[in-house]
Amino acid sequence: MARHDVVVVGAGNAGVSLAARLLRVGAKDVAIVSPDRPHLFRPLLNYVAGGQATMSELTRSTASVIPAGCT
Ligand SMILES: Cc1cc2nc3c(=O)[nH]c(=O)nc-3n(C[C@H](O)[C@H](O)[C@H](O)COP(=O)(O)OP(=O)(O)OC[C@H]3O[C@@H](n4cnc5c(N)ncnc54)[C@H](O)[C@@H]3O)c2cc1C
């Protein structure tokens, strides 16, 4: 079974931000556990509702938003 110093559950805004911050302050072994589904930048949903953005603009693959150095 894989073991890590820190495991963050959820690759939403909170999980991704927390993992990035931990790595910046020197944590060496941070992992994020997340379902295999796209990351949605939720604040932009307001703009989609207002016709100023599209769903594709707020959708990213989860892998692409995981900070470098994080499992
Ligand atoms: C329409 C809308 C507009 C918003 N506008 C703003 C704004 O303008 N400014 C602002 O600051 N905030 C805004 N917010 C709020 C902001 O988007 C949320 O506060 C923020 O996304 C919360 O982050 P989170 O990581 O807690 O949750 P989320 O971003 O929802 O992430 C939760 C993650 O956990 C994962 N997950 C769920 N269950 C499990 C499980 N069992 N195991 C592992 N992973 C799991 C999900 O897949 C998801 O990736 C808005 C929200 C909405 C809906």
Side-chain angles (χ1 to χ4, degrees):
M1 181 193 300
R3 298 179 67 90
H4 299 277
D5 290 345
V6 180
V7 176
V8 177
V9 178
N13 288 340
V16 168
S17 302
L18 174 64
R21 183 168 290 216
L22 287 168
L23 291 165
R24 273 201 302 277
V25 299
K28 299 287 183 229
D29 182 16
V30 180
I32 302 180
V33 177
S34 180
D36 184 16
R37 60 183 177 218
H39 174 90
L40 301 179
F41 184 67
R42 291 169 152 268
L44 259 188
L45 280 170
N46 287 330
Y47 292 81
V48 174
Q52 294 170 298
T54 63
M55 282 303 289
S56 63
E57 289 175 285
L58 64 85
T59 305
R60 300 274 187 276
S61 73
T62 295
S64 72
V65 299
I66 301 297
C70 185
T71 302

